[in-house]
Amino acid sequence: MAQGETLRQRIISELSEAQEPVSLRELSKLVQATEKDLISHLPHVERSLKKSGKVLKRVPAACRNCGFEFTGRKDFKKPSRCPDCRSESISPPRFRITS
């Protein structure tokens, strides 16, 4: 992490360097910010990446019980419950920046 970098620059840097997609919890540890802060910054990061030709790739959240994937979801946070089986055992969405 370079000195003087903003939180959004650190998010972009960490997601660009990631070999595998990372969850909000993992990203919060990498950039030393709360998950709540990241949720508010990620839409802005996604918009600014479009100008540079890069894309914020999302691996959707999925139900660990029945396998339902939350593919159409625009929100960045983890869903609370599966619409199919009502299970609360949900794997979080994961993010990575690609060209």
Side-chain angles (χ1 to χ4, degrees), residues 23-38:
S23 68
L24 282 176
R25 179 165 288 156
E26 295 164 340
L27 184 59
S28 72
K29 290 177 185 175
L30 292 170
V31 299
Q32 299 168 350
T34 65
E35 291 180 46
K36 191 174 182 177
D37 283 342
L38 294 177

Side-chain angles (χ1 to χ4, degrees), residues 3-92:
Q3 190 165 352
E5 272 189 323
T6 65
L7 177 56
R8 291 181 189 167
Q9 289 169 333
R10 292 193 322 250
I11 292 170
I12 291 170
S13 176
E14 290 294 341
L15 290 177
S16 296
E17 294 170 6
Q19 298 298 319
E20 296 291 322
V22 295
S23 68
L24 282 176
R25 179 165 288 156
E26 295 164 340
L27 184 59
S28 72
K29 290 177 185 175
L30 292 170
V31 299
Q32 299 168 350
T34 65
E35 291 180 46
K36 191 174 182 177
D37 283 342
L38 294 177
I39 289 169
S40 67
H41 284 284
L42 282 173
H44 299 282
V45 167
E46 188 173 41
R47 271 183 275 164
S48 65
L49 288 172
K50 288 181 183 179
K51 295 175 187 172
S52 65
K54 295 183 179 181
V55 179
L56 179 64
K57 292 283 187 179
R58 298 182 195 199
V59 175
C63 177
R64 291 183 178 127
N65 191 34
C66 72
F68 178 84
E69 284 194 357
F70 295 83
T71 53
R73 193 172 167 93
K74 299 287 183 203
D75 201 358
F76 289 95
K77 61 185 175 182
K78 181 178 112 174
S80 61
R81 178 175 300 165
C82 176
D84 282 355
C85 71
R86 297 294 193 209
S87 172
E88 292 182 5
S89 180
I90 308 290
S91 66

